[in-house]
Amino acid sequence: MFLSLLLACSVTPVVGDAPAAEDSATDTAGDTGSNIGDTDTGDTAESEPTTDWSAYTGERNFYASVWGYECDDTTGDEGVELTEGSDYDALVELCPLCTHFYENTPTVEAVCDGYLGLGTTYRALLVTDGGIAAYFYSQGDSGPSESASDNSVSFDGELAEFDYEIDVYGVPVSVTGSMTFVMNAP
């Protein structure tokens, strides 16, 4: 079927490929319209920078308040895209529609006076024309398991900002953060 569509498209006349008309006032007006159609809009799309999804730098802020204790702590993050291996396979199983998977490494081992231990975690992004959803995974004894998600990540092509809430020993902890991706030049 694809071949028949391809052949059908190859015999369909393309706007702007019509035989040249003789010079006349009427034809000049027609030529002006065809010149407008002759501009290559494909170059414009190619000249825009694109997101390099292979790695990011970021940060997370953790906030909790319980029984008079308040924590407001921040850590930096480094993420590298996973494209193979057992962790990648486990993440694909957890989020088969996701388009990018990352191993996330924080710059500190713990926040909130050591009450909230950090370690290597994982992130998965579902990138669509309608936006981005982010899924956050912690490493358990049997592999990664989902700990939170944000279905309304704001994204401008370079900076993704997210927020979610986790439960640590029964205490709700609000997490806000960002992931900054490099933009590839056209």
Side-chain angles (χ1 to χ4, degrees):
M1 180 164 168
F2 176 75
L3 185 58
S4 62
L5 285 173
L6 184 62
L7 292 174
C9 292
S10 68
V11 295
T12 304
V14 178
V15 175
D17 284 348
E22 293 180 37
D23 290 332
S24 73
T26 306
D27 292 330
T28 304
D31 287 346
T32 303
S34 68
N35 287 341
I36 293 171
D38 287 344
T39 57
D40 186 9
T41 57
D43 290 341
T44 305
E46 291 175 20
S47 64
E48 294 180 20
T50 58
T51 305
D52 178 354
W53 296 102
S54 64
Y56 64 83
T57 58
E59 69 176 25
R60 283 177 292 168
N61 177 266
F62 299 87
Y63 178 79
S65 180
V66 62
W67 304 307
Y69 173 77
E70 187 172 294
C71 165
D72 191 359
D73 225 341
T74 301
T75 182
D77 286 319
E78 299 282 332
V80 177
E81 188 169 24
L82 299 172
T83 57
E84 62 184 3
S86 59
D87 291 331
Y88 171 79
D89 294 340
L91 291 168
V92 169
E93 247 183 75
L94 291 168
C95 189
L97 296 178
C98 287
T99 50
H100 302 283
F101 302 91
Y102 299 92
E103 181 176 280
N104 183 73
T105 306
T107 56
V108 297
E109 292 182 23
V111 292
C112 299
D113 299 322
Y115 290 116
L116 181 55
L118 304 176
T120 299
T121 56
Y122 302 93
R123 296 180 185 176
L125 298 180
L126 172 58
V127 180
T128 68
D129 290 339
I132 292 183
Y135 301 90
F136 304 89
Y137 301 92
S138 56
Q139 183 67 23
D141 293 335
S142 59
S145 63
E146 186 174 334
S147 55
S149 65
D150 182 351
N151 293 322
S152 59
V153 174
S154 70
F155 184 64
D156 65 5
E158 182 177 12
L159 178 67
E161 295 179 304
F162 55 83
D163 63 87
Y164 58 88
E165 187 173 283
I166 56 175
D167 184 63
V168 179
Y169 302 114
V171 176
V173 178
S174 297
V175 182
T176 58
S178 64
M179 301 163 66
T180 303
F181 297 91
V182 172
M183 297 298 289
N184 289 325

